Amino acid sequence: MRVMSVVMRRELAGYFATPVAYVFLVIFLVLAATFAFTLGGFYERGQADLAPFFAFHPWLYLFLVPALSMRLWAEERRSGSLELLMTLPVTPWQAVLGKFLAAWAFTALALALTFPMWLTVNYLGEPDNGAILTAYLGSLLMAGGFLAIGACISATTRNQIIAFILTAVGCFLFLLAGFPLVLDLFTGWAPDALVDAVAALSFLTHYNALSRGVIELRDLVFFALVIGVFLYANTIVLDMKKAS
Amino acid sequence: MIRTEALSRRYGPLLAVDNLSFEVSPGTVLGFLGPNGAGKSTTMKMLAGFISPSAGRALVGGHDVARDPLAVKRLIGYLPEGAPSYGEMTVAGFLGFVADLRGLRGAARRTRLAEVSDRLSLGGVARQTIETLSKGFRRRVGLAQAILHDPSILILDEPTDGLDPNQKHEVRTLIREMAHDKTIIISTHILEEVDALCNRVMIIGRGRLLADDDPRGLEARSRYHRAVSLRLRDATQLAAAQAALASLPGVAAIERDAQRLTVLPRDGAPILYAVTELARQQGWTIAELHLESGRLDEVFRRITTEAPPCE
């Protein structure tokens, strides 16, 4: 635990040592609010809830999360510090978890800074704060899923741009796994069971329930599993591709 | 204490390290010598637990690196090739990070950090980010990181690469000071360093062990071992002198380089006395006279180029 938190703190400090953190926070907050007020019609709907705000989170994450995750391992590979880190007394799991938690904690901070939205809606009316909290939880879990995918992809390359693009594409596929755009790739040739399985991987489906304030165990388990599986894959990628 | 048993590493079709077996005991400063791509770094990476062997095994401090990598990593100090670190961190922040990972705490952490930055003269740059430092400073930060926990085993991949002569001297002094009770492996392609630092040398070529000796022993393999080189004051005598010296018993060959004659002995026979005696008889005035101990660069070149080709 202690070693993991040392790795995590270093990584988190790394975000703030460069302008990455500030650029990310500003863009995330501005876009999240803009989408909610303009595209989402926050006022026009005349309802005291944050649905128009949360509805755009998946699309924001689609290109902002890869920006957070791309440097996690690719940068270590490029600079050679991976060799240093992996020869210090750190297990691969401690390193993988430490880095992931740093990125996730940073996303949590970005989410927390959207609190003026919550204040606004509470000032304007009487929203269901439990539902809002659930939506925040869902948003955070979805970000975690994206980050785990991004961390794993970042470990495969020394080029941050490649990590960014592949992560964005990967996240896009996961996001829309339940929709015709992705499913059409499978229907026709794959067995129905596989098509159903792919459809069940849709981030959007699982997130939609949570963002409406419905806590279902299977949605929570789904995101936890995605995170777990990709972090496990991350340790394997690290082990396989250490030398190059 | 380090031991390898038939250690091998394959990268696709390339056999980077081929069946390497050796043992290093405490008090040894072992110099890894070899041309670029000989397998020095790969071997060190395997000892440090960064990459795993394709075959064979490495034991470091009694722990099998493949089975118990964490025990090995706790024990050793390792400077990877090029001394990588985190460029955006300050020197103090980086060393603090390593100290935390090494489990140093409280007073021990403070004293070790102070000691190490003092020994490597890093005090003045403690608040600077590493990416703004010169190559020499970065290398010293890498060394500081490696010796922070006062490890009994040190593996240093090109510790003096990119340092100026003064810094090289400092680093060598540092390594020599630590040498008496530690097991130290350094890789280098600076031959003078081997002479200055190591009490044992391993020459590696194409992943194989080509020579394992101490620096004196390696020099003795040189055709210049016990060679006598001399310069005469009167250059017109040079041709005659060359002929006369060549006929001396025990002389294998004579090399002439402008005004200088180098008399090579046959099988390292002592010829200094015979040469000076001849000079006295012939009435040559000798301007310069050296007894050579051997030329490491010549031995190195011969050993690494004569190596049997890979099958």
Side-chain angles (χ1 to χ4, degrees):
Chain A
M1 270 308 273
R2 213 182 52 80
V3 170
M4 191 188 73
S5 84
V6 172
V7 174
M8 173 179 158
R9 269 180 285 140
R10 196 210 71 78
E11 197 66 41
L12 201 52
Y15 281 122
F16 289 96
T18 58
V20 172
Y22 306 100
V23 170
F24 181 94
L25 286 176
V26 168
I27 291 186
F28 177 79
L29 294 176
V30 166
L31 286 185
T34 311
F35 284 167
F37 284 112
T38 57
L39 297 175
F42 180 73
Y43 287 127
E44 291 80 353
R45 292 170 77 241
Q47 288 181 30
D49 67 14
L50 284 178
F53 168 66
F54 285 110
F56 292 100
H57 281 200
W59 309 104
L60 274 175
Y61 289 151
L62 196 55
F63 65 96
L64 285 179
V65 162
L68 275 188
S69 64
M70 65 180 186
R71 69 190 283 280
L72 285 177
W73 295 104
E75 175 62 16
E76 298 249 5
R77 234 181 237 298
R78 193 195 55 76
S79 74
S81 55
L82 184 65
E83 182 169 357
L84 180 80
L85 182 64
M86 301 315 275
T87 50
L88 285 166
V90 179
T91 65
W93 266 109
Q94 287 166 336
V96 164
L97 270 178
K99 276 174 173 283
F100 168 76
L101 288 178
W104 207 16
F106 185 79
T107 332
L109 172 71
L111 266 180
L113 288 179
T114 62
F115 73 93
M117 292 295 304
W118 174 74
L119 290 181
T120 309
V121 79
N122 269 280
Y123 172 77
L124 293 173
E126 282 177 8
D128 178 354
N129 280 321
I132 291 178
L133 199 65
T134 308
Y136 266 116
L137 174 74
S139 178
L140 188 61
L141 279 172
M142 181 175 55
F146 283 154
L147 279 172
I149 294 172
C152 180
I153 290 176
S154 173
T156 63
T157 175
R158 55 167 55 210
N159 187 320
Q160 294 194 28
I161 310 291
I162 292 178
F164 179 92
I165 292 171
L166 289 182
T167 305
V169 171
C171 290
F172 184 72
L173 291 179
F174 265 98
L175 199 55
L176 292 183
F179 294 79
L181 190 68
V182 172
L183 280 185
D184 284 352
L185 296 174
F186 292 91
T187 43
W189 62 272
D192 286 350
L194 181 66
V195 177
D196 289 346
V198 171
L201 289 178
S202 172
F203 273 33
L204 214 47
T205 316
H206 289 282
Y207 171 67
N208 277 342
L210 285 164
S211 72
R212 284 195 307 270
V214 186
I215 298 189
E216 274 205 70
L217 187 63
R218 62 185 185 130
D219 296 326
L220 302 182
V221 169
F222 169 76
F223 284 117
L225 269 179
V226 168
I227 293 171
V229 164
F230 276 94
L231 291 185
Y232 179 64
N234 193 344
T235 62
I236 292 179
V237 170
L238 271 187
D239 199 48
M240 274 169 28
K241 283 206 58 174
K242 266 192 293 195
S244 50
Chain B
M1 170 78 170
I2 293 175
R3 196 168 88 222
T4 72
E5 295 165 0
L7 198 64
S8 300
R9 171 71 201 198
R10 193 177 275 286
Y11 291 115
L14 176 78
L15 200 52
V17 174
D18 184 3
N19 222 0
L20 209 56
S21 298
F22 62 89
E23 208 174 306
V24 195
S25 46
T28 308
V29 181
L30 170 66
F32 259 1
L33 274 182
N36 287 329
K40 304 185 297 271
S41 289
T42 306
T43 306
M44 292 179 131
K45 284 184 211 295
M46 284 194 279
L47 291 178
F50 182 55
I51 55 179
S52 40
S54 313
R57 60 178 192 154
L59 292 149
V60 175
H63 306 283
D64 187 326
V65 184
R67 291 224 184 107
D68 197 356
L70 212 56
V72 172
K73 289 166 186 177
R74 283 201 187 99
L75 202 60
I76 63 167
Y78 176 52
L79 174 71
E81 189 179 10
S85 55
Y86 295 103
E88 82 280 2
M89 295 181 93
T90 62
V91 172
F94 173 67
L95 292 179
F97 165 69
V98 175
D100 290 339
L101 283 187
R102 291 277 180 204
L104 290 169
R105 283 182 214 207
R109 184 179 186 274
R110 273 196 303 280
T111 39
R112 278 309 294 165
L113 283 171
E115 231 174 271
V116 161
S117 66
D118 188 46
R119 267 184 113 164
L120 288 152
S121 329
L122 292 170
V125 296
R127 299 277 145 218
Q128 252 176 276
T129 55
I130 294 172
E131 61 198 355
T132 63
L133 298 178
S134 68
K135 207 174 167 193
F137 265 119
R138 278 188 225 179
R139 181 86 20 165
R140 272 141 72 186
V141 171
L143 275 166
Q145 160 279 123
I147 63 171
L148 193 57
H149 55 304
D150 195 20
S152 60
I153 296 173
L154 264 176
I155 300 175
L156 309 173
D157 202 344
E158 299 188 350
T160 61
D161 188 42
L163 300 185
D164 69 33
N166 294 335
Q167 295 166 342
K168 273 185 192 161
H169 178 75
E170 281 166 34
V171 168
R172 282 176 201 161
T173 311
L174 175 77
I175 293 176
R176 222 176 289 124
E177 279 170 14
M178 294 188 301
H180 65 280
D181 58 343
K182 295 187 197 304
T183 310
I184 304 180
I185 300 188
I186 64 167
S187 80
T188 178
H189 31 231
I190 309 166
L191 292 161
E192 55 178 272
E193 193 146 288
V194 169
D195 223 11
L197 213 51
C198 304
N199 48 30
R200 185 175 161 196
V201 185
M202 283 174 50
I203 298 184
I204 298 176
R206 295 198 190 90
R208 283 188 224 175
L209 184 58
L210 301 178
D212 183 352
D213 212 331
D214 59 38
R216 295 286 86 71
L218 271 188
E219 282 176 349
R221 299 183 188 200
S222 167
R223 45 200 288 266
Y224 294 98
H225 179 57
R226 291 182 171 161
V228 177
S229 80
L230 69 164
R231 204 161 60 78
L232 300 182
R233 185 175 292 167
D234 184 358
T236 56
Q237 293 175 336
L238 215 57
Q242 186 172 359
L245 285 167
S247 62
L248 279 179
V251 169
I254 309 238
E255 284 179 3
R256 185 168 164 185
D257 171 25
Q259 299 297 304
R260 180 183 298 276
L261 293 176
T262 304
V263 188
L264 306 180
R266 182 170 292 131
D267 304 326
I271 54 164
L272 179 62
Y273 180 73
V275 171
T276 51
E277 191 63 16
L278 183 69
R280 200 175 54 77
Q281 282 167 14
Q282 304 284 330
W284 301 332
T285 317
I286 293 175
E288 249 180 59
L289 183 76
H290 292 289
L291 178 63
E292 295 203 16
S293 55
R295 295 182 190 171
L296 275 181
D297 58 341
E298 184 250 339
V299 176
F300 176 79
R301 210 172 316 118
R302 188 153 43 85
I303 289 179
T304 52
T305 52
E306 279 175 6
C310 254
E311 68 274 5

